[in-house]
Amino acid sequence: MNTKTILVTGGAGYIGSHTCKALKNAGWIPVTVDNLVHGHRRAVRWGPLVEGDIREQAVLDRVFERYAPDAVIHFAAYAYVGESVHDPARYYRNNVGGTLSLLTAMRRHGCRRVVFSSSCATYGIPAKVPIAESFAQQPVNPYGRSKRMVEQILEDYDSAYGLRYVSLRYFNAAGADPQGETGEDHDPETHLIPLAMDAVLGRIPFLEIYGTDYDTPDGTAVRDYVHVSDLAEIHTRAVAYLCAGGDSCALNLGTGSGHSVWRVVAAVESVTGRRVPVKSSARRPGDPAVLYARVDRAVELLDWRPRFASLEAIVETAWSWHRRLREGA
C-alpha cells in the first residue's frame, strides 16, 4: 500500500489520539487539526499537528494544500450531553457548523472520503436491545441531535456530490493504549471508569451512581463498553474500505453485551485492589436502563472484532494509564 495522508480532526482528543497511533502503525500519515479546547498537545505523537478550528476555511485550505489528504476522519465535536441541553447553540454551531465547514473544504479540494465519529446517542431511548443500525434514530438531547444531523448531511452529500462516508456509532469508549502512550484525560470528566478511579485515588470523595432502581439484574444501568484501541482499529479499517471503493454506510461499534454500573465498580475494585466509595442518587432524566449494540454488520463488512473482550482487560489498561496520569506511578 502506498503511504496515504489522513486528515484527523480532533486528533488530540481521547479516541482521536489512539486512532492516529493506529493509522501510523497501519502505514498512513495522520495529520491532526485540533483547536486544543478539549484535546492535548502531548497526545499528538504520530504525525503533524495543525492548531486551528475547522470552522475557519483558511485553516482547512492550508491543510489541504500542504498535505493533500486522501481521506478525513472527523472527530472534532463537543460531547457533553448535559452541556448540550443548557447551551444547544454551542453544539449546533460547533458540531454541525464545523462539519459543514469541513465538507465545504473537502469538496473544494477534491477529497471525497470521510469517516465520521457518530454516537449511539442518535438512537435516543430504544424500544429494545440489542440496538441494530436499522433502528429508528430519535435522539433525546442536542448532542445526539447534532450527530444525527451530520449523518443526514452526509447522506445528502453522498447523493448530490458523490462524497462517500462511514458513520461509526460508538457505544461507551473505555480503556487506554496498552503501551501507555495515550489515554483518557477529560476536563471535566464524565465517564464512569475514570470517575471510579478518581474516587479510588481520593481525587473525588465518591463515585455518584445515578439510579439503583432500574429494571436490571442489580438495579443499575447497563452499558456496552468497547476498548478505545478497538475503536481506533476500526477507523483504520473504515478508511481502507473507503479508499478501496467501498459504499457509504453506518455501523454500530460495541461489544454486543452490556455491564451494569455495579459490575464496573466491582471490576475497578478487583483490578486496583482498592474500594470505590460510592453514593447513590436519583436517575438522570432520559437515561435508558439498558443500552448495548448489535455489531454483526461491522464484523461482516470490515472483519472487525473487539480484541479486548473482557471488562477487566479494559479496566486494567485504564488503571495503568490513570494511575500514572494522576499519581505519576
Side-chain angles (χ1 to χ4, degrees), residues 188-203:
E189 185 57 75
T190 60
H191 291 174
L192 175 61
I193 291 174
L195 284 174
M197 292 175 178
D198 276 345
V200 159
L201 294 171
R203 288 178 53 83

Side-chain angles (χ1 to χ4, degrees), residues 2-315:
N2 294 329
T3 300
K4 294 182 183 294
T5 299
I6 309 299
L7 171 59
V8 183
T9 71
Y14 174 41
I15 305 175
S17 63
H18 286 80
T19 299
C20 285
K21 179 178 180 178
L23 288 167
K24 183 70 171 180
N25 289 341
W28 282 299
I29 300 172
V31 176
T32 290
V33 175
D34 201 302
N35 61 15
L36 301 180
V37 169
H38 291 299
H40 303 279
R41 189 182 301 275
R42 67 175 184 273
V44 183
R45 305 177 55 180
W46 295 279
L49 167 65
V50 177
E51 185 175 350
D53 196 300
I54 63 171
R55 289 172 291 183
E56 298 177 11
Q57 287 296 304
V59 170
L60 294 175
D61 283 340
R62 287 199 302 271
V63 172
F64 278 98
E65 288 165 5
R66 179 173 180 181
Y67 296 103
D70 296 273
V72 174
I73 300 179
H74 179 33
F75 292 104
Y78 296 146
Y80 292 105
V81 170
E83 181 184 60
S84 79
V85 174
H86 297 297
D87 193 2
R90 186 170 192 255
Y91 277 67
Y92 294 127
R93 188 166 53 244
N94 185 72
N95 295 7
V96 180
T99 301
L100 287 170
S101 174
L102 174 65
L103 295 177
T104 296
M106 289 178 64
R107 289 185 61 211
R108 187 162 58 247
H109 293 277
C111 183
R112 298 184 178 279
R113 308 178 188 101
V114 60
V115 177
F116 172 54
S117 169
S118 191
S119 170
C120 66
T122 64
Y123 292 111
I125 302 176
K128 61 180 181 178
V129 291
I131 299 169
E133 290 89 350
S134 59
F135 281 23
Q137 291 179 284
Q138 299 174 322
V140 295
N141 53 64
Y143 166 69
R145 283 190 278 272
S146 74
K147 291 291 188 177
R148 176 59 184 136
M149 287 178 186
V150 171
E151 286 198 19
Q152 292 172 318
I153 290 167
L154 291 175
E155 293 171 18
D156 291 339
Y157 273 53
D158 184 1
S159 297
Y161 310 125
L163 187 148
R164 288 180 294 112
Y165 67 87
V166 176
S167 291
L168 299 177
R169 298 171 186 163
Y170 310 157
F171 280 65
N172 290 53
D177 173 55
Q179 286 75 48
E181 294 186 287
T182 188
E184 189 166 11
D185 185 14
H186 296 122
D187 183 20
E189 185 57 75
T190 60
H191 291 174
L192 175 61
I193 291 174
L195 284 174
M197 292 175 178
D198 276 345
V200 159
L201 294 171
R203 288 178 53 83
I204 57 175
F206 51 79
L207 171 69
E208 196 160 8
I209 298 178
Y210 297 99
T212 56
D213 59 348
Y214 285 103
D215 184 18
T216 60
D218 65 16
T220 61
V222 172
R223 296 292 183 266
D224 191 340
Y225 296 90
V226 57
H227 196 280
V228 64
S229 293
D230 288 325
L231 293 179
E233 180 189 349
I234 199 168
H235 283 83
T236 67
R237 290 176 181 253
V239 166
Y241 166 81
L242 288 176
C243 288
D247 293 329
S248 296
C249 63
L251 303 173
N252 285 341
L253 301 184
T255 63
S257 61
H259 300 288
S260 73
V261 175
W262 282 127
R263 173 73 179 86
V264 172
V265 169
V268 171
E269 291 183 335
S270 174
V271 168
T272 65
R274 310 184 194 185
R275 186 181 70 87
V276 179
V278 301
K279 176 185 176 182
S280 298
S281 298
R283 300 183 192 184
R284 292 179 296 197
D287 270 356
V290 181
L291 290 176
Y292 62 94
R294 183 173 174 179
V295 296
D296 49 312
R297 191 172 183 186
V299 172
E300 293 168 5
L301 192 64
L302 299 182
D303 192 27
W304 174 81
R305 292 170 179 80
R307 293 181 297 118
F308 293 84
S310 77
L311 181 60
E312 280 73 17
I314 292 173
V315 170

